[in-house]
Structures are given as structure tokens and as C-alpha cells.
Amino acid sequence: MSSVVTVLPAHACDCHVHVFCPERYPYDAGRAYTPAAAPVQALRQWQSSLGIERAVLVQPSCYGLDNRAMCQALRTLGVERARGVAVVDPATVPESELDALQDQGVRGVRLNFHVHAAMDPSVLIQSFQSAADRISGRGWHVQLHVDSDTLAVLAPVLRNAKVPVVLDHFGGGAASMKTLALLLPCRHVWMKLSAPYRVSQVAEYADLASMVRECLEIAPDRLVWASDWPHTGGNGQRKGAVPEIEPFREVDVAAMLMLLRKWVSDPQQFNALMVDNPARLYGFDL
């Protein structure tokens, strides 16, 4: 673990983590999975073991529109160290709730088209546009969890979006590279290098290595890193009934960081990936 600490710059940011506190904040009745508890105290301890100072908490799908667990974690961590990405219904959420979320550190809204599949192009486009219109003027972004096919459907709309767009988990993986080559030149489009196990089955994620290098050529100032802690395990392959607690994946994040360091060999680019880029995207002090 100490070898990782030496390669992480000061103010390194993990741009995609979750907290789960089912005893205090029950999961949504319509959820697709039931994770174990992963409270903010566990997150802080884990971050400290790796030398990670900042985090972006992302609302998980199992909480639906109830952002209370995430917001409680944001208050515990403080605005110097944490930001949030919420899930809201653009049609019904009051401005007062958006104001309160912003005050607590929320800087974006998430659309999860991976869990809530909606392949009708008109539905996809309308969902994105509704979210983008609702946050317009706040300095927030729309975060998208999509596969390569869905990204291709949305690409023409995303290229002309009036708000920043952040793509989860390598934008769907190597299969998305053709679409990403069209999107990443747009100055409002960002991508998370996160959860490679969700988008690649290749040994040592070799397909992502070449993809990352290509993306660095296009948009070195709009890539950020994330762990996806605590690594929910199903990825569309869940077993058992929904109420059964699903164990987290066993993921060696230290090894993943070392692999990333090989892919991003330039020290300035690595520092931008870990510190400068997330600071600009989420509004942290440099």
C-alpha cells in the first residue's frame, strides 16, 4: 500500500464513491439490488490508507431519489474534501431542494441508463434534456452511466449540450472509442477512468490501456480518476432475490492505481488526472 501513497499527489481526488447506511436511511423499495452497509467512516479509513484526500460521492441507484445518506456523508466530510452527484426527478424536484443540495456540495445530477435501461432514443434524449434544462445556470453537470450503444444514440445531443457532461466508467469501455473520439474534443465533455472491471474482461485491461492513451491525446484536461468504492458486485449479473444482501467485489485499488500510473506515464498528466482536473470540474481549491 505504501508504494501507492508515494505516487499520489497532494489533494488527490477519487471522483466516484458511494456510501450505504441502510439502518438509518432505508433503501428504495423499487431497487434492483441490496448492498451491505458502507458508512462514511469506512470511506474515510479506506481513503486514508491510500493517501486520497478528496472524494465525490455519487448517489447509488438503490437509494432512488432519496439523497439523504449521501448528503449526511457530505456534511461529515466537509466541503473542503467532498462533493456530491445527486439523483432527482427534473419534473418534480423543487428549486429549494436543488438549492439545499448545492449548499451541501452537490455539483451534478446522475442519469443511470445502465440500471434503468431505456433504449428508445426519444426517451433517452428527453431524459437527458430534462435534466440538463433543470440544472442550467447552476454550474452543475449531468453524469451519465451508459453502455457503448446508448452513448452512440445520445452522442449528437451530447455534442451540443449546454451543460457539462461527465461519462461514467470509461464511457462504456473500449467499444465506445469511436463515439468518444467525436465527443471528447467538445470542451464540455468529461470522462471518468473508473471501475475497469465493469467494462473490460481483458487481462490487465489491455484494451483500456490503449483507449486511455488515445483519450489523453484528445482531452488530457477532462479525464478524472475514480475507484467506484465500495465496489457493488452485480453489474447486471446478480444472483438471488433483490432483498438478499449482495457482497461487494474484492477489488485491489492499489494495484489499479499502479496500473493507471503505467498508462499515464507523464507526471504532469497524472497530476492533472488526480488533482487539477477534478478540482476544476467539482470546484475544489487548487
Side-chain angles (χ1 to χ4, degrees):
M1 201 71 73
S2 61
S3 60
V4 175
V5 176
T6 62
V7 303
L8 293 186
H11 309 310
C13 184
D14 184 341
C15 295
H16 194 116
V17 300
H18 306 291
V19 291
F20 302 104
C21 309
E23 292 186 0
R24 183 172 183 182
Y25 302 107
Y27 298 138
D28 184 70
R31 66 190 181 278
Y33 70 106
T34 300
V40 66
Q41 293 84 358
L43 171 62
R44 295 176 76 171
Q45 183 177 8
W46 177 80
Q47 284 186 292
S48 179
S49 71
L50 289 170
I52 298 169
E53 296 182 28
R54 294 170 171 171
V56 178
L57 280 69
V58 176
Q59 172 77 342
S61 64
C62 64
Y63 271 120
L65 302 177
D66 183 357
N67 293 283
R68 290 179 300 161
M70 181 193 67
C71 288
Q72 178 59 50
L74 288 174
R75 291 191 292 271
T76 299
L77 293 170
V79 294
E80 295 297 320
R81 297 182 56 191
R83 295 289 186 271
V85 177
V87 174
V88 301
D89 181 348
T92 62
V93 63
E95 286 297 316
S96 58
E97 182 175 340
L98 295 178
D99 290 342
L101 289 169
Q102 182 154 343
D103 289 344
Q104 293 173 92
V106 168
R107 295 296 180 267
V109 294
R110 190 189 198 201
L111 297 177
N112 191 333
F113 292 138
H114 183 78
V115 170
H116 303 292
M119 289 310 297
D120 183 333
S122 64
V123 174
L124 292 168
I125 292 168
Q126 182 58 47
S127 296
F128 171 79
Q129 199 59 59
S130 295
D133 289 347
R134 195 60 201 273
I135 66 169
S136 179
R138 287 186 173 271
W140 291 16
H141 60 269
V142 176
Q143 180 175 314
L144 296 174
H145 186 188
V146 295
D147 59 21
S148 58
D149 290 337
T150 303
L151 184 64
V153 169
L154 285 169
V157 176
L158 301 183
R159 291 186 69 184
N160 296 306
K162 303 303 182 184
V163 299
V165 174
V166 180
L167 305 174
D168 276 354
H169 309 327
F170 295 87
S176 296
M177 193 59 235
K178 183 177 180 180
T179 306
L180 291 170
L182 299 174
L183 287 175
L184 286 176
C186 304
R187 298 294 304 170
H188 62 280
V189 178
W190 299 66
M191 187 174 74
K192 293 184 183 183
L193 308 184
S194 57
Y197 47 81
R198 295 192 183 276
V199 296
S200 173
Q201 303 301 318
V202 179
E204 293 193 338
Y205 312 120
D207 55 337
L208 298 181
S210 58
M211 175 188 175
V212 168
R213 294 186 180 107
E214 188 171 350
C215 291
L216 282 170
E217 290 292 324
I218 303 171
D221 58 337
R222 281 172 284 114
L223 302 179
V224 297
W225 171 80
S227 70
D228 197 35
W229 185 94
H231 319 293
T232 54
N235 194 26
Q237 301 173 3
R238 300 178 180 96
K239 298 178 181 179
V242 167
E244 294 182 14
I245 294 178
E246 178 184 303
F248 297 124
R249 297 172 187 259
E250 295 286 340
V251 176
D252 187 342
V253 176
M256 287 173 53
L257 279 166
M258 295 303 289
L259 186 61
L260 179 69
R261 190 66 184 85
K262 292 180 180 179
W263 297 348
V264 188
S265 57
D266 181 276
Q268 289 186 330
Q269 286 187 334
F270 187 75
N271 192 81
L273 183 75
M274 301 299 296
V275 182
D276 298 341
N277 296 351
R280 286 187 292 108
L281 178 59
Y282 299 105
F284 289 111
D285 291 336
L286 283 172

